[in-house]
Structure formats: C-alpha cells, structure tokens
C-alpha cells in the first residue's frame, strides 16, 4: 500500500506532534523562548547558516559544519568526526548535494523551520527541514534536520 502525500506544513505539524521540537530525535530538556515572528533579516541569517553548513559538508570540513550545530547537537555527537560520520551515513543528499534551493520558511509553535529542496548526486529529490535555534548572542544554529523524499510532499 502506498503512502499518502502530505503538504510541507502538515508534515511539520506531524513532526512536532510525533517528535517534539528537536528534529534529530533529541529531547531538548531545556526551555527556549518561543518566537512569534522573524524579520526578513533573521530568515536570511538562517539560510546563510544552512548554506554554510552544506558548503562545509561538501568540502568535508567537519569543524565548520559542527560549529554551526546547536550546543545540544554538539553535546550529543561530542566531536566533529562523530557528527560528520552521522551526516555521511544518514544525510548523504545534504552531505554531497548536486544542488539545493530554499523553500518557504515557517514558524511552527515558535520554532523556525527552513525547508530546503535537495537534489542528490543520483538525481533523487528530497526535502530537508532544518530546525533552528537562536543563541544568546542572537546568532542562529541548526538544532536538527529531518529529510523526506519529495514525493511525500505532493499536494
């Protein structure tokens, strides 16, 4: 039996219901301020962080890629090497994409989510949804990523 396609907004709501607000399956265990609105500058900054991490993956620069992850993610993986090993194994499309483009960002229960259409080296198209976390210094870090084949998002 085939899966029923869902829209990106429905997918994001399901993620929060099933997996909480941290998309790597990590319990946050920490309270965070909920955001009700972000400026266009915030969204550009979020996209810049994601693009820098994807460029770091492409260049196999684990130190830079790891530095763009949230403190919670860095605590779980403990080192850039562990983090890169996980990305290579579980997120190959993001690790070495042929191309990617940012889709419409959204806030869901105060959490910024940036969807990215990723075309893998083999031509497969996926949607990566990055969750973002604002740091005390007002910078943004990636708190998780959830990937799905783009066919699951057809309307």
């Amino acid at each position: 039996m085939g899966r029923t396609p869902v829209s990106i907004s429905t997918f994001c709501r399901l993620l929060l219901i099933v997996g909480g607000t941290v998309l790597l399956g990590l319990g946050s265990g920490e309270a965070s301020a909920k955001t009700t609105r972000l400026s266009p500058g915030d969204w550009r900054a979020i996209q810049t962080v994601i693009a820098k991490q994807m460029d770091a993956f492409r260049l196999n620069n684990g130190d830079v890629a790891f530095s763009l992850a949230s403190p919670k993610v860095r605590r779980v993986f403990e080192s850039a090497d562990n983090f890169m090993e996980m990305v290579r194994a579980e997120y190959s499309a993001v690790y070495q994409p042929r191309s990617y483009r940012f889709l419409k960002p959204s806030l869901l229960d105060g959490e910024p989510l940036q969807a990215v259409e990723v075309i893998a080296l083999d031509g497969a198209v996926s949607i990566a949804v990055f969750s973002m976390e604002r740091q005390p210094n007002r910078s943004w870090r990636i708190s998780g990523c959830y990937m799905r084949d783009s066919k699951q998002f057809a309307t």
Side-chain angles (χ1 to χ4, degrees):
M1 183 181 287
R3 292 185 179 178
T4 303
V6 297
S7 70
I8 289 176
S9 64
T10 300
F11 171 71
C12 292
R13 283 186 181 86
L14 289 170
L15 280 177
L16 288 177
I17 292 167
V18 174
T21 59
V22 178
L23 302 179
L24 278 175
L26 311 171
S28 85
E30 298 174 19
S32 62
K34 294 296 181 185
T35 304
T36 58
R37 195 177 123 163
L38 293 178
S39 72
D42 281 322
W43 288 115
R44 282 190 300 276
I46 284 168
Q47 291 175 354
T48 297
V49 169
I50 294 167
K52 283 181 180 179
Q53 190 179 63
M54 290 181 71
D55 286 344
F57 290 150
R58 184 179 51 79
L59 297 170
N60 204 33
N61 188 334
D63 291 334
V64 169
F66 192 57
S67 76
L68 296 167
S70 72
K72 289 179 259 187
V73 171
R74 289 193 309 267
R75 279 194 300 273
V76 168
F77 289 99
E78 298 178 340
S79 73
D81 289 339
N82 291 342
F83 180 68
M84 292 296 281
E85 183 179 324
M86 178 278 300
V87 172
R88 279 190 292 273
E90 303 296 327
Y91 294 87
S92 62
V94 170
Y95 177 67
Q96 295 289 305
R98 178 185 299 170
S99 65
Y100 65 91
R101 70 181 177 104
F102 292 102
L103 302 176
K104 184 178 177 183
S106 62
L107 278 173
L108 188 59
D109 291 337
E111 181 170 16
L113 300 175
Q114 176 62 64
V116 180
E117 180 184 67
V118 181
I119 300 176
L121 292 176
D122 66 1
V125 180
S126 299
I127 304 296
V129 180
F130 289 84
S131 61
M132 302 299 295
E133 181 181 284
R134 190 186 299 268
Q135 303 306 295
N137 68 0
R138 311 272 308 147
S139 67
W140 290 98
R141 293 294 176 259
I142 298 167
S143 59
C145 180
Y146 194 80
M147 294 198 61
R148 281 293 181 237
D149 183 296
S150 68
K151 293 174 193 164
Q152 295 174 346
F153 295 104
T155 54

